Amino acid sequence: MRCVKCREPAVLEIRRHNAAFCAPHFLDFFTSQVERAIQEMRMFDKTDRILVAVSGGKDSLSLWDVLLRLGYQASGLYIHLGIGEYSERSKEKVLLFARKHEADLLIVDLPAEYGMNVEEMAKRSHRVPCSACGLSKRYLFNKVALDHGFDVVATAHNLDDEAAVLLGNLIHWQVEFLARQSPVLESTHPKLVKKVKPLYRLSERETAAYAVLRGIDYIVEECPNSVGARSLLYKEALNFLEAKAPGTKQSLYWGFLEQRKVIAGSILSPAGDGNKASLRECIHCGQPTTAEICAFCRMTEKAMEKMRTIRVGPAKLGSRQE
Ligand code: AMP
Ligand code: FES
Ligand code: ZN
Ligand code: ZN
């Protein structure tokens, strides 16, 4: 297998593009795909301050790396969720990257700020950990960006992530989610910061290859709470199809993005475009929400209430244990 650009031995074959690249030409390919996503989708430019949400994994550290190499003003945001050793190790990877690149990094410590980790928060508010985690992350991305004057939040969702989410949304016909699924979510309220996904043109395998070739030290293990997640099942199914028919994921997701404009006027509109739903400020924290109190405040209040009622002495017979 030879590089399609220089005929040197290739390090990676990209079957969906009918191509193979040597290391330097793969890095060029990766970088140009990110630039293309940024330009075509009008994500941001060199004057914008970008907050990159970094988990310590291959995707988010590769995204931060490529944006810095391209000369964008990219600061990192790490949310310490308090998921035992996994969180400690992932934080280390983020700190290591920031130090090595002398990059600006912000850290939010969820247990320190809210008195409990994401698993306790989930338990006390009767949610599954991934739901409490997703809600906390979305809330904090926006809040930190707003508080620190960033123009846009960039997450590292790749083609595999987006295709799996799309498959899930289609299987369950979640029309409102379909309407909102996009590599760019514009700000529709003064307190809602624009969100972008510059890696949507690249697969998980390609972000892993980029990280390795760039010498990025990332956390390989997945979050322990992700075991058995539906999204992993959809990814597996798509990987099966991709192996038999290269280009399946790209065709599914990119095709959706093209058709989106067409179907937006028909099936998507009647259910209401979630992003355009009328927003107001949460009466507790001031963040944008469609309700009186935002979902994050509702969750934390419920969890705090439970925390206050936790029994410290011995329980009386017949009384309810928390
Ligand atoms: P996930 O919800 O775990 O699929 O992550 C989606 C995106 O959120 C990732 O691509 C990262 O950009 C970002 N992210 C995930 N975990 C964290 C974290 N602990 N702190 C900051 N950003 C994160
Ligand atoms: Fe959120 Fe695992 S990263 S629950
Ligand atoms: Zn080459
Ligand atoms: Zn709130």
Coordinates of all heavy atoms in Angstrom, one line a residue, residues 92-159:
E92 N -5.0 14.3 34.3 CA -3.5 14.3 34.1 C -3.1 14.5 32.7 O -2.2 15.2 32.3 CB -2.9 12.9 34.6 CG -2.6 13.0 36.1 CD -1.8 14.2 36.5 OE1 -0.7 14.4 35.9 OE2 -2.2 14.9 37.4
K93 N -3.8 13.7 31.8 CA -3.5 13.8 30.3 C -3.8 15.2 29.8 O -3.0 15.8 29.0 CB -4.4 12.8 29.5 CG -4.2 11.4 29.9 CD -2.9 10.8 29.6 CE -2.8 9.4 30.0 NZ -1.4 8.8 30.1
V94 N -4.8 15.8 30.3 CA -5.2 17.2 29.8 C -4.1 18.2 30.3 O -3.6 19.0 29.6 CB -6.6 17.6 30.3 CG1 -6.9 19.0 29.9 CG2 -7.7 16.7 29.7
L95 N -3.7 18.0 31.6 CA -2.7 18.9 32.2 C -1.4 18.8 31.5 O -0.7 19.8 31.2 CB -2.5 18.6 33.7 CG -3.6 19.2 34.6 CD1 -3.5 18.6 36.0 CD2 -3.6 20.7 34.7
L96 N -1.1 17.6 31.1 CA 0.2 17.3 30.4 C 0.2 18.0 29.1 O 1.2 18.6 28.7 CB 0.3 15.7 30.2 CG 1.6 15.1 30.1 CD1 2.4 15.2 31.4 CD2 1.5 13.6 29.6
F97 N -0.9 17.8 28.3 CA -1.0 18.5 27.0 C -0.9 20.0 27.1 O -0.1 20.6 26.4 CB -2.3 18.1 26.3 CG -2.5 18.7 25.0 CD1 -2.1 17.9 23.8 CD2 -2.9 20.0 24.8 CE1 -2.2 18.4 22.6 CE2 -3.0 20.5 23.5 CZ -2.7 19.7 22.4
A98 N -1.6 20.6 28.1 CA -1.6 22.0 28.3 C -0.2 22.5 28.6 O 0.3 23.5 28.0 CB -2.6 22.4 29.4
R99 N 0.5 21.8 29.5 CA 1.9 22.2 29.8 C 2.8 22.1 28.6 O 3.5 23.1 28.4 CB 2.4 21.3 31.0 CG 2.0 21.9 32.3 CD 2.8 21.1 33.4 NE 1.8 20.8 34.5 CZ 1.4 19.6 34.9 NH1 1.9 18.5 34.3 NH2 0.5 19.5 35.9
K100 N 2.7 21.0 27.9 CA 3.6 20.8 26.8 C 3.4 21.8 25.7 O 4.4 22.3 25.1 CB 3.3 19.4 26.2 CG 4.3 18.9 25.2 CD 4.1 17.4 24.8 CE 4.7 17.1 23.5 NZ 4.4 15.8 23.0
H101 N 2.2 22.3 25.5 CA 1.9 23.2 24.4 C 1.8 24.7 25.0 O 1.4 25.6 24.2 CB 0.6 22.8 23.7 CG 0.8 21.5 22.9 ND1 0.7 20.3 23.5 CD2 1.1 21.3 21.6 CE1 0.9 19.4 22.7 NE2 1.2 19.9 21.5
E102 N 2.0 24.8 26.3 CA 1.8 26.1 26.9 C 0.5 26.7 26.5 O 0.4 27.9 26.1 CB 3.0 27.1 26.5 CG 4.3 26.6 27.1 CD 5.5 27.5 26.8 OE1 5.3 28.5 26.1 OE2 6.6 27.1 27.1
A103 N -0.5 25.9 26.6 CA -1.9 26.3 26.2 C -2.7 26.7 27.4 O -2.5 26.2 28.5 CB -2.6 25.2 25.4
D104 N -3.7 27.6 27.1 CA -4.5 28.1 28.2 C -5.6 27.0 28.6 O -6.2 26.5 27.7 CB -5.2 29.3 27.7 CG -6.1 30.0 28.7 OD1 -5.8 30.0 29.9 OD2 -7.2 30.5 28.3
L105 N -5.7 26.7 29.8 CA -6.6 25.6 30.3 C -7.5 26.0 31.4 O -7.0 26.6 32.4 CB -5.8 24.3 30.7 CG -6.6 23.2 31.3 CD1 -7.6 22.6 30.3 CD2 -5.7 22.1 31.8
L106 N -8.8 25.8 31.3 CA -9.7 26.1 32.5 C -10.2 24.7 33.0 O -10.5 23.8 32.2 CB -10.9 26.9 32.0 CG -10.6 28.4 31.7 CD1 -10.2 28.5 30.2 CD2 -11.9 29.2 31.9
I107 N -10.3 24.6 34.3 CA -10.8 23.4 34.9 C -12.0 23.7 35.8 O -11.9 24.6 36.6 CB -9.7 22.7 35.7 CG1 -8.6 22.3 34.8 CG2 -10.2 21.5 36.4 CD1 -7.4 21.5 35.4
V108 N -13.1 22.9 35.7 CA -14.2 23.0 36.6 C -14.2 21.7 37.4 O -14.2 20.6 36.8 CB -15.5 23.2 35.9 CG1 -16.7 23.2 36.9 CG2 -15.5 24.5 35.1
D109 N -14.2 21.8 38.7 CA -14.2 20.6 39.5 C -15.7 20.4 40.1 O -16.1 21.2 41.0 CB -13.2 20.8 40.7 CG -13.0 19.5 41.5 OD1 -14.0 18.8 41.7 OD2 -11.8 19.3 41.8
L110 N -16.4 19.5 39.5 CA -17.8 19.3 39.8 C -18.0 19.0 41.3 O -18.8 19.6 42.0 CB -18.4 18.2 38.9 CG -19.9 18.2 38.9 CD1 -20.5 19.3 37.9 CD2 -20.4 16.9 38.5
P111 N -17.2 18.0 41.9 CA -17.4 17.7 43.3 C -17.1 18.9 44.2 O -17.8 19.1 45.2 CB -16.5 16.5 43.6 CG -16.2 15.9 42.2 CD -16.3 17.0 41.2
A112 N -16.1 19.7 43.8 CA -15.7 20.8 44.7 C -16.8 21.9 44.6 O -17.1 22.6 45.5 CB -14.4 21.4 44.3
E113 N -17.3 22.1 43.4 CA -18.3 23.2 43.2 C -19.7 22.8 43.7 O -20.4 23.7 44.2 CB -18.5 23.5 41.7 CG -17.2 24.1 41.0 CD -17.1 25.6 41.3 OE1 -18.1 26.2 41.5 OE2 -15.9 26.0 41.3
Y114 N -20.1 21.6 43.5 CA -21.5 21.2 43.8 C -21.6 20.2 44.9 O -22.7 19.7 45.2 CB -22.2 20.7 42.5 CG -22.3 21.8 41.4 CD1 -21.3 21.9 40.5 CD2 -23.3 22.7 41.5 CE1 -21.3 22.9 39.5 CE2 -23.3 23.7 40.5 CZ -22.3 23.8 39.6 OH -22.4 24.9 38.7
G115 N -20.5 19.8 45.5 CA -20.5 19.0 46.7 C -20.7 17.5 46.4 O -20.9 16.7 47.4
M116 N -20.7 17.1 45.2 CA -20.9 15.6 44.9 C -20.4 15.4 43.5 O -20.4 16.3 42.6 CB -22.4 15.2 45.0 CG -23.3 15.9 44.0 SD -25.0 15.6 44.5 CE -25.4 17.2 45.2
N117 N -20.0 14.1 43.2 CA -19.6 13.8 41.9 C -20.8 13.5 41.0 O -21.9 13.4 41.5 CB -18.6 12.6 41.9 CG -19.2 11.3 42.3 OD1 -20.4 11.2 42.3 ND2 -18.3 10.3 42.6
V118 N -20.5 13.2 39.7 CA -21.6 13.1 38.8 C -22.5 11.8 39.0 O -23.7 11.8 38.8 CB -21.1 13.1 37.3 CG1 -20.5 11.8 36.9 CG2 -22.1 13.6 36.3
E119 N -21.8 10.8 39.6 CA -22.6 9.6 39.9 C -23.5 9.8 41.1 O -24.7 9.3 41.0 CB -21.6 8.4 40.2 CG -20.9 7.9 38.9 CD -19.5 7.3 39.1 OE1 -18.9 7.8 40.1 OE2 -19.1 6.5 38.4
E120 N -23.1 10.5 42.1 CA -24.0 10.8 43.2 C -25.1 11.7 42.8 O -26.2 11.6 43.2 CB -23.2 11.5 44.4 CG -22.2 10.6 45.1 CD -21.1 11.3 45.8 OE1 -20.8 12.5 45.5 OE2 -20.6 10.8 46.8
M121 N -24.7 12.7 41.9 CA -25.7 13.6 41.4 C -26.8 12.8 40.7 O -28.0 13.1 40.8 CB -25.1 14.6 40.5 CG -25.9 15.9 40.3 SD -25.0 17.1 39.3 CE -24.1 18.0 40.5
A122 N -26.4 11.9 39.9 CA -27.3 11.1 39.1 C -28.2 10.3 40.0 O -29.4 10.2 39.9 CB -26.5 10.1 38.2
K123 N -27.6 9.6 41.0 CA -28.4 8.8 41.9 C -29.4 9.6 42.7 O -30.6 9.2 42.7 CB -27.4 8.1 42.9 CG -27.9 6.8 43.5 CD -26.7 6.1 44.2 CE -27.3 5.3 45.4 NZ -26.2 5.1 46.3
R124 N -29.0 10.7 43.2 CA -29.9 11.5 44.0 C -31.0 12.2 43.1 O -32.0 12.7 43.7 CB -29.2 12.6 44.7 CG -28.3 11.9 45.8 CD -27.6 12.9 46.7 NE -26.8 12.2 47.6 CZ -25.6 12.6 48.0 NH1 -25.1 13.7 47.6 NH2 -24.9 11.9 48.9
S125 N -30.8 12.4 41.9 CA -31.8 13.0 41.0 C -32.5 12.0 40.1 O -33.2 12.3 39.2 CB -31.2 14.1 40.2 OG -30.2 13.6 39.4
H126 N -32.3 10.7 40.5 CA -33.0 9.6 39.8 C -32.7 9.6 38.3 O -33.6 9.4 37.4 CB -34.5 9.6 40.0 CG -34.8 9.5 41.5 ND1 -34.5 8.5 42.3 CD2 -35.4 10.5 42.3 CE1 -34.9 8.8 43.5 NE2 -35.4 10.0 43.5
R127 N -31.5 9.8 37.9 CA -31.1 9.7 36.5 C -30.0 8.7 36.3 O -29.4 8.3 37.3 CB -30.4 11.1 36.0 CG -31.4 12.2 35.8 CD -30.7 13.5 35.6 NE -31.6 14.6 35.3 CZ -31.9 15.0 34.1 NH1 -31.4 14.4 33.1 NH2 -32.7 16.0 34.0
V128 N -29.8 8.2 35.1 CA -28.6 7.4 34.9 C -27.4 8.3 34.8 O -27.5 9.4 34.4 CB -28.7 6.5 33.6 CG1 -29.8 5.5 33.8 CG2 -29.0 7.3 32.4
P129 N -26.2 7.8 35.2 CA -25.0 8.6 35.2 C -24.7 9.4 33.9 O -24.4 10.6 34.0 CB -23.8 7.6 35.5 CG -24.5 6.5 36.2 CD -25.9 6.4 35.7
C130 N -24.9 8.7 32.8 CA -24.6 9.4 31.5 C -25.5 10.6 31.3 O -25.1 11.6 30.6 CB -24.6 8.4 30.3 SG -23.3 7.3 30.4
S131 N -26.8 10.5 31.7 CA -27.7 11.6 31.5 C -27.3 12.8 32.4 O -27.3 13.9 31.9 CB -29.1 11.1 31.8 OG -29.9 12.1 32.4
A132 N -27.0 12.5 33.7 CA -26.6 13.6 34.6 C -25.3 14.2 34.1 O -25.1 15.4 34.1 CB -26.4 13.1 36.0
C133 N -24.4 13.4 33.6 CA -23.1 13.8 33.1 C -23.3 14.7 31.8 O -22.7 15.8 31.7 CB -22.3 12.6 32.7 SG -20.7 12.9 32.0
G134 N -24.1 14.2 30.9 CA -24.3 15.0 29.6 C -24.9 16.3 30.0 O -24.5 17.4 29.4
L135 N -25.9 16.3 30.8 CA -26.6 17.6 31.2 C -25.6 18.5 31.9 O -25.5 19.7 31.6 CB -27.8 17.2 32.2 CG -28.5 18.4 32.8 CD1 -29.1 19.3 31.7 CD2 -29.7 17.9 33.6
S136 N -24.8 18.0 32.8 CA -23.8 18.9 33.5 C -22.8 19.4 32.5 O -22.5 20.6 32.6 CB -23.0 18.0 34.6 OG -23.9 17.4 35.4
K137 N -22.3 18.6 31.6 CA -21.3 19.1 30.6 C -21.9 20.2 29.7 O -21.3 21.2 29.6 CB -20.8 17.9 29.8 CG -19.8 17.1 30.6 CD -19.0 16.1 29.7 CE -19.9 15.0 29.3 NZ -19.1 13.7 28.9
R138 N -23.1 19.9 29.2 CA -23.7 20.9 28.3 C -23.9 22.3 29.0 O -23.6 23.3 28.5 CB -25.1 20.4 27.8 CG -24.9 19.4 26.7 CD -26.3 19.2 26.0 NE -27.3 18.7 26.9 CZ -27.4 17.4 27.2 NH1 -26.6 16.5 26.7 NH2 -28.4 17.0 28.0
Y139 N -24.3 22.2 30.3 CA -24.6 23.4 31.1 C -23.3 24.1 31.3 O -23.2 25.3 31.2 CB -25.2 23.0 32.4 CG -25.5 24.1 33.4 CD1 -26.6 24.8 33.3 CD2 -24.6 24.4 34.4 CE1 -26.9 25.9 34.2 CE2 -24.8 25.5 35.2 CZ -25.9 26.2 35.1 OH -26.2 27.2 36.0
L140 N -22.2 23.4 31.8 CA -21.0 24.0 32.1 C -20.2 24.5 30.9 O -19.6 25.6 31.0 CB -20.1 23.0 33.0 CG -20.7 22.7 34.3 CD1 -20.0 21.5 35.0 CD2 -20.6 23.9 35.3
F141 N -20.3 23.9 29.8 CA -19.7 24.4 28.6 C -20.2 25.8 28.3 O -19.4 26.7 28.1 CB -20.0 23.5 27.3 CG -19.4 22.1 27.3 CD1 -19.9 21.2 26.4 CD2 -18.4 21.8 28.2 CE1 -19.3 19.9 26.4 CE2 -17.9 20.5 28.2 CZ -18.3 19.5 27.3
N142 N -21.5 25.9 28.3 CA -22.1 27.2 28.0 C -21.8 28.3 29.1 O -21.4 29.4 28.8 CB -23.6 27.1 27.9 CG -24.2 28.3 27.3 OD1 -24.1 28.6 26.1 ND2 -24.9 29.1 28.1
K143 N -21.9 27.9 30.4 CA -21.7 28.8 31.5 C -20.2 29.3 31.5 O -20.0 30.5 31.6 CB -22.0 28.1 32.8 CG -21.9 29.0 34.0 CD -22.4 28.3 35.2 CE -22.2 29.1 36.5 NZ -21.6 30.4 36.5
V144 N -19.3 28.4 31.3 CA -17.8 28.8 31.4 C -17.5 29.7 30.2 O -16.9 30.7 30.3 CB -16.9 27.6 31.4 CG1 -15.5 28.0 31.3 CG2 -17.1 26.8 32.7
A145 N -18.0 29.3 29.0 CA -17.8 30.1 27.8 C -18.3 31.5 28.0 O -17.7 32.5 27.7 CB -18.4 29.5 26.6
L146 N -19.5 31.6 28.5 CA -20.2 32.9 28.8 C -19.4 33.7 29.8 O -19.1 34.9 29.6 CB -21.6 32.6 29.3 CG -22.6 33.7 29.0 CD1 -22.9 34.0 27.5 CD2 -24.0 33.3 29.7
D147 N -19.1 33.1 30.9 CA -18.4 33.8 32.0 C -17.1 34.3 31.6 O -16.6 35.3 32.2 CB -18.3 32.8 33.3 CG -19.6 32.5 33.9 OD1 -20.6 33.2 33.6 OD2 -19.6 31.7 34.8
H148 N -16.4 33.6 30.7 CA -15.0 34.0 30.3 C -14.9 34.6 29.0 O -13.9 34.8 28.4 CB -14.1 32.8 30.4 CG -13.9 32.3 31.8 ND1 -12.9 32.7 32.7 CD2 -14.7 31.5 32.6 CE1 -13.1 32.1 33.9 NE2 -14.1 31.4 33.8
G149 N -16.1 35.0 28.4 CA -16.1 35.8 27.1 C -15.6 35.0 25.9 O -15.0 35.6 25.0
F150 N -15.9 33.7 25.8 CA -15.5 33.0 24.6 C -16.6 33.1 23.6 O -17.8 33.3 23.9 CB -15.3 31.5 24.9 CG -14.0 31.2 25.6 CD1 -14.0 31.1 27.0 CD2 -12.9 31.0 24.9 CE1 -12.8 30.9 27.7 CE2 -11.6 30.8 25.6 CZ -11.6 30.8 27.0
D151 N -16.2 33.1 22.3 CA -17.2 33.3 21.2 C -17.9 32.0 20.8 O -19.0 32.0 20.3 CB -16.5 33.8 20.0 CG -15.8 35.2 20.3 OD1 -16.6 36.1 20.5 OD2 -14.6 35.2 20.3
V152 N -17.2 30.8 21.0 CA -17.7 29.6 20.6 C -17.1 28.4 21.4 O -16.0 28.5 21.9 CB -17.4 29.4 19.0 CG1 -15.9 29.6 18.7 CG2 -17.9 28.1 18.4
V153 N -18.0 27.4 21.5 CA -17.5 26.1 22.2 C -17.3 25.1 21.2 O -18.2 24.8 20.3 CB -18.5 25.6 23.3 CG1 -18.1 24.3 23.8 CG2 -18.7 26.6 24.4
A154 N -16.1 24.4 21.2 CA -15.9 23.3 20.2 C -15.8 22.0 20.9 O -15.1 21.9 21.9 CB -14.6 23.6 19.4
T155 N -16.6 21.0 20.5 CA -16.5 19.7 21.1 C -15.9 18.8 20.0 O -15.9 19.1 18.8 CB -17.9 19.2 21.5 OG1 -18.8 19.3 20.4 CG2 -18.4 19.9 22.7
A156 N -15.5 17.6 20.5 CA -14.7 16.7 19.6 C -15.5 15.6 19.0 O -14.9 14.5 18.7 CB -13.5 16.2 20.3
H157 N -16.8 15.8 18.9 CA -17.6 14.7 18.3 C -17.1 14.4 16.9 O -16.9 15.3 16.1 CB -19.1 15.1 18.2 CG -19.7 15.3 19.5 ND1 -19.7 16.6 20.1 CD2 -20.4 14.5 20.3 CE1 -20.3 16.5 21.3 NE2 -20.8 15.2 21.4
N158 N -16.9 13.1 16.6 CA -16.3 12.8 15.2 C -17.5 12.1 14.4 O -18.6 12.0 14.8 CB -15.1 11.8 15.4 CG -15.5 10.6 16.2 OD1 -16.6 10.1 16.0 ND2 -14.6 10.1 17.0
L159 N -17.1 11.7 13.2 CA -18.1 11.1 12.3 C -18.8 9.9 12.9 O -20.0 9.7 12.7 CB -17.3 10.7 11.0 CG -18.2 10.0 9.9 CD1 -19.3 10.9 9.4 CD2 -17.3 9.6 8.7

